[in-house]
Amino acid sequence: MIGKLTGRLEYRSSDHVLIDVRGVGYIVYCSERTMAALPGVGEAVALYTDMVVREDLMQLYGFPSLVEKEWHRLLTSVQGVGAKVSLAILGALGPDGVSRAIALGDWAAVKAAKGVGPKTAQRIVLDLKDKAPGVMAMGGTVADAMDGPGLDVVEPADPVEPAKKPRKAPPKQPSGAAAASAGALSALGNLGYGPSDAAAAVAEAAATYPDANEAELIRAALRLLAPKG
């Protein structure tokens, strides 16, 4: 299986690119969001990939982070959701938006993606609701959740020279919002709240107060979790 490609961007279309890796060209399909973030033709690029092999098909799908690749894997595990629909959802919402929508049970946000009907959107939210807390707990926001040191893979636009080792991206520090959300989730878990309830409360609190620190997020989430009436 091919899990990652690093090479030179040879060609780009509306939904796929051709990456030259030491003289071998790989066609990789990407979401609109990923396509927009890729460098220009002739520049260095790297993508995490998921390979689909069937009797009549063999295709690669590319992602700028491991966590986006993981969301693609989870989305395509839902009945009726193929790679095309998954890429449409990730392109419309991004991995952060997918995590937030699923944690909050916001199937209408998922339905906003092209080709996703209400029944499919509801099924996605129901089937994956228990998955969002684990992703959020790894880094607060999905973009930081699985991008540890050196895992940024859309690389600088330097020519690819086989004789030289590829440059490693500098360590990435989690954002303040990421750390605050992760800390709030951990605190709520220690207080005995279930992962799904805690994730939904933190996601809603973070959306309402995007600049809140950990303590403020915890207080806001606790207010949301408090018994009504």
Side-chain angles (χ1 to χ4, degrees), residues 7-12 18 39-45 156-160:
R8 179 181 287 108
L9 190 65
E10 285 287 311
Y11 167 81
R12 61 188 302 155
L18 176 65
V41 172
E43 298 182 3
V45 64
D158 294 334
V160 177

Side-chain angles (χ1 to χ4, degrees), residues 9-19 26-41 43 45-47 60-64 68 87-88 90-92 154:
L9 190 65
E10 285 287 311
Y11 167 81
R12 61 188 302 155
S13 183
S14 59
D15 63 351
H16 67 273
V17 293
L18 176 65
I19 299 176
Y26 295 87
I27 294 175
V28 185
Y29 289 82
C30 305
S31 71
E32 291 182 1
R33 188 179 295 256
T34 298
M35 291 290 297
L38 291 176
V41 172
E43 298 182 3
V45 64
L47 289 171
L60 283 170
Y61 299 92
F63 312 93
E68 187 163 337
L87 292 184
L90 288 167
V154 178

Side-chain angles (χ1 to χ4, degrees), residues 168-193:
K168 188 177 182 180
K172 181 177 180 178
Q173 300 300 320
S175 68
S181 293
L185 276 169
S186 177
L188 293 176
N190 291 336
L191 290 172
Y193 290 98

Side-chain angles (χ1 to χ4, degrees), residues 1-172:
M1 298 295 287
I2 300 172
K4 181 182 177 184
L5 292 174
T6 302
R8 179 181 287 108
L9 190 65
E10 285 287 311
Y11 167 81
R12 61 188 302 155
S13 183
S14 59
D15 63 351
H16 67 273
V17 293
L18 176 65
I19 299 176
D20 184 319
V21 181
R22 298 181 182 275
V24 179
Y26 295 87
I27 294 175
V28 185
Y29 289 82
C30 305
S31 71
E32 291 182 1
R33 188 179 295 256
T34 298
M35 291 290 297
L38 291 176
V41 172
E43 298 182 3
V45 64
L47 289 171
Y48 293 108
T49 57
D50 181 61
M51 189 174 187
V52 174
V53 179
R54 297 202 305 260
E55 185 176 343
D56 59 340
L57 178 72
M58 185 166 65
Q59 283 187 343
L60 283 170
Y61 299 92
F63 312 93
S65 68
L66 281 170
V67 72
E68 187 163 337
K69 176 182 175 179
E70 176 66 5
W71 271 122
H72 175 74
R73 185 187 71 80
L74 292 171
L75 286 167
T76 53
S77 72
V78 177
Q79 181 182 359
V81 178
K84 185 176 180 179
V85 171
S86 173
L87 292 184
I89 294 170
L90 288 167
L93 302 179
D96 288 345
V98 172
S99 181
R100 185 165 52 249
I102 292 176
L104 294 173
D106 185 7
W107 63 267
V110 178
K111 179 180 173 294
K114 184 178 179 181
V116 180
K119 290 184 178 179
T120 299
Q122 290 172 20
R123 187 183 304 118
I124 288 170
V125 169
L126 288 173
D127 287 2
L128 301 183
K129 189 172 180 63
D130 291 338
K131 307 294 183 182
V135 177
M136 294 173 65
M138 285 187 251
T141 63
V142 179
D144 295 321
M146 295 176 68
D147 285 341
L151 288 183
D152 275 343
V153 296
V154 178
E155 298 175 348
D158 294 334
V160 177
E161 300 179 15
K164 295 181 180 180
K165 292 182 178 180
R167 294 196 307 172
K168 188 177 182 180
K172 181 177 180 178

